[in-house]
Amino acid sequence: MDTVHYRDDGTIQKWDGECHFGWVLEGRAIQDVWIRPKRPAPSTMYGTTLRIFDPGIDGWHIIWNDPLNRDHSRQIGRAEGKDIVQLGTDSRGLKTQWRFTEITANSFHWIGEERSSESDPWQITYEHLVRRTKP
């Protein structure tokens, strides 16, 4: 993956990285691992997401945790047209919106946004351009 971080001071950071996705809990959940930058470089992010579908809400309960940065988030994810949108709150108390867009069998565009309150506009903080390297 290629990552872009839009910092508060207006500067931009770029990294490469890797993602690993798989079905877990006897096919009841998806777990993914996000690593940045690509190994063997020392990690600046090394976290995992667990996504469990709940037919009662027609959506996914999502738990993100990056112990390296002591960052965590809880969200609810749902399909919106061709995209997947996850809404929740992060470890700082900020509202988060993570969007998976341009989804194909071999790639997707992930956009991370945050805001302090419902009345604030969403601010893009991260983008990940992810592509499959192995079938």
Side-chain angles (χ1 to χ4, degrees):
M1 77 176 164
D2 294 313
T3 297
V4 179
H5 178 204
Y6 302 97
R7 299 168 51 97
D8 290 338
D9 65 6
T11 60
I12 295 173
Q13 287 180 293
K14 294 183 179 184
W15 298 276
D16 64 3
E18 54 188 282
C19 299
H20 305 273
F21 290 79
W23 288 98
V24 296
L25 303 176
E26 297 180 330
R28 293 179 178 91
I30 298 171
Q31 183 173 16
D32 45 67
V33 176
W34 297 69
I35 303 165
R36 185 186 68 222
K38 199 171 186 181
R39 292 175 291 180
S43 297
T44 61
M45 177 189 70
Y46 204 117
T48 188
T49 310
L50 188 63
R51 305 166 200 280
I52 304 167
F53 187 73
D54 181 345
I57 65 166
D58 193 29
W60 296 79
H61 293 281
I62 298 157
I63 301 165
W64 158 257
N65 199 303
D66 173 1
L68 180 66
N69 293 297
R70 298 183 353 213
D71 183 25
H72 61 272
S73 181
R74 288 188 162 269
Q75 300 175 320
I76 298 293
R78 292 189 173 89
E80 287 190 12
K82 295 181 179 182
D83 298 341
I84 298 170
V85 178
Q86 301 176 190
L87 296 169
T89 305
D90 71 9
S91 54
R92 299 165 297 164
L94 296 176
K95 307 291 182 195
T96 58
Q97 176 173 260
W98 297 351
R99 296 184 288 134
F100 290 81
T101 67
E102 303 169 44
I103 301 166
T104 73
N106 294 309
S107 64
F108 63 84
H109 181 188
W110 184 98
I111 303 166
E113 299 170 287
E114 61 188 36
R115 63 184 178 185
S116 297
S117 70
E118 296 294 329
S119 60
D120 292 335
W122 288 109
Q123 298 293 316
I124 296 176
T125 54
Y126 282 94
E127 289 187 84
H128 302 294
L129 298 165
V130 181
R131 66 206 160 278
R132 183 186 307 261
T133 57
K134 296 179 185 175

